[in-house]
């Protein structure tokens, strides 16, 4: 196992990581987008993005796009390269504010977190559409790990922390259990060639209705390209 440093809250770090990875001339068969923060106080990344949107979503958007060529070269007809993006059931209550993606008008930790997780689902569906249109041997799926007992909850209200401490053994998944759906999407033969799926508890299920809005998917993709400074070649595709 070899580790390369990458700070998903920094566009500079992401680009540096991709350069280091490409220099190794390694194939890339599986990319799991799993970094995230939850319910943090209002603050910005070094690039000036609201932290939930910048780290949870834009960081993964840029990383995935910069690695797409390598993924396409690594996938074959019988063994597709796979992109797995970790969202959350919170996306079901999320609202995408295209005119205020940075939550400048009104900041809510819960709203910002839910928006970032909805954006990840919209991104995955649009990405799969583009991969299919290009005939690429790459699939993109989004997974819901469930409620997992990790440090992700360190910013919740103290009463919630107490309840979590008392009930985690009963209601929360262990980190190992929480990782199982991502692993399933990454290596299961049942997922070979399957893309554009929302996976929970190792089963394909339905995401929020708004996530299937293709016009919203396109608009978010175009705006995301502008924000991270990459070419929106996909805008010329249907």
């Amino acid at each position: 196992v070899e580790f390369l440093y990458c700070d998903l809250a920094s566009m500079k770090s992401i680009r540096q990581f991709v350069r280091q990875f490409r220099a190794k001339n390694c194939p890339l068969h599986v990319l799991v987008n799993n970094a995230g923060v939850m319910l943090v106080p209002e603050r910005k990344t070094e690039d000036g993005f609201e932290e939930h949107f910048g780290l949870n979503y834009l960081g993964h958007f840029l990383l995935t796009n910069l690695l797409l060529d390598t993924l396409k070269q690594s996938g074959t007809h019988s063994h597709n390269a796979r992109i797995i993006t970790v969202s959350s059931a919170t996306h079901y209550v999320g609202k995408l504010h295209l005119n205020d993606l940075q939550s400048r008008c009104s900041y809510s930790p819960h709203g910002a977190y839910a928006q970032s997780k909805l954006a990840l689902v919209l991104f995955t569906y649009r990405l799969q559409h583009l991969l299919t249109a290009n005939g690429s041997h790459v699939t993109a799926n989004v997974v819901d790990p469930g409620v997992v007992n990790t440090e992700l909850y360190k910013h919740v209200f103290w009463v919630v922390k107490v309840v979590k401490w008392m009930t985690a053994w009963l209601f929360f998944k262990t980190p190992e259990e929480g990782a199982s759906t991502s692993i399933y999407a990454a290596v299961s033969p049942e997922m070979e060639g399957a893309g554009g799926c929302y996976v929970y508890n190792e089963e394909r299920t339905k995401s929020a209705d708004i996530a299937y809005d293709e016009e919203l998917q396109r608009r978010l993709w175009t705006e995301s390209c502008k924000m991270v400074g990459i070419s929106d070649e996909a805008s010329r595709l249907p």
Side-chain angles (χ1 to χ4, degrees):
V1 176
E2 182 178 357
F3 293 91
L4 296 178
Y5 179 80
C6 182
D7 179 359
L8 268 292
S10 165
M11 302 294 113
K12 179 181 178 181
S13 178
I14 293 168
R15 292 180 183 277
Q16 183 177 19
F17 164 81
V18 171
R19 286 194 295 269
Q20 291 176 334
F21 180 79
R22 283 178 172 171
K24 294 181 176 296
N25 291 316
C26 293
L28 179 57
H29 299 107
V30 177
L31 172 65
V32 180
N33 293 317
N34 187 45
V37 292
M38 183 176 77
L39 308 184
V40 296
E42 186 174 10
R43 58 196 188 196
K44 297 179 179 179
T45 68
E46 66 177 47
D47 301 288
F49 301 124
E50 185 278 314
E51 190 167 2
H52 289 99
F53 197 76
L55 195 161
N56 294 3
Y57 170 66
L58 285 178
H60 292 123
F61 178 86
L62 178 61
L63 178 67
T64 302
N65 273 280
L66 294 180
L67 290 173
L68 266 183
D69 284 345
T70 306
L71 285 157
K72 291 176 181 178
Q73 293 164 9
S74 304
T76 65
H77 178 72
S78 57
H79 291 89
N80 282 240
R82 304 186 189 188
I83 301 168
I84 295 91
T85 298
V86 179
S87 182
S88 160
T90 311
H91 91 274
Y92 286 104
V93 298
K95 295 182 179 179
L96 194 77
H97 302 285
L98 276 171
N99 296 324
D100 186 26
L101 292 172
Q102 303 301 318
S103 303
R104 292 191 178 100
C105 294
S106 177
Y107 181 77
S108 158
H110 293 83
Y113 176 70
Q115 176 180 245
S116 72
K117 291 300 180 179
L118 173 58
L120 289 170
V121 183
L122 288 158
F123 156 65
T124 299
Y125 292 167
R126 179 59 179 166
L127 176 58
Q128 182 58 55
H129 174 83
L130 298 173
L131 290 167
T132 301
N134 285 317
S136 303
H137 298 307
V138 184
T139 58
N141 292 297
V142 59
V143 304
D144 175 1
V147 183
V148 187
N149 188 15
T150 68
E151 287 299 307
L152 193 63
Y153 296 85
K154 63 183 179 182
H155 292 290
V156 300
F157 191 54
W158 70 268
V159 173
V160 178
K161 288 183 179 179
V162 172
V163 173
K164 174 181 176 289
W165 177 77
M166 295 175 63
T167 63
W169 64 275
L170 182 60
F171 298 112
F172 284 61
K173 293 182 178 181
T174 65
E176 291 78 12
E177 291 170 337
S180 65
T181 299
S182 294
I183 295 171
Y184 171 80
V187 302
S188 171
E190 297 174 14
M191 294 297 293
E192 178 58 45
C197 302
Y198 187 84
V199 187
Y200 174 62
N201 279 347
E202 302 183 12
E203 292 184 358
R204 303 175 208 183
T205 187
K206 189 175 182 296
S207 62
D209 290 340
I210 190 66
Y212 298 102
D213 185 330
E214 294 183 0
E215 177 61 22
L216 188 60
Q217 294 168 15
R218 281 193 291 265
R219 292 176 65 190
L220 174 62
W221 184 281
T222 298
E223 187 61 30
S224 301
C225 287
K226 294 178 183 177
M227 296 173 82
V228 302
I230 62 175
S231 173
D232 182 15
E233 296 179 1
S235 63
R236 295 189 289 273
L237 293 172

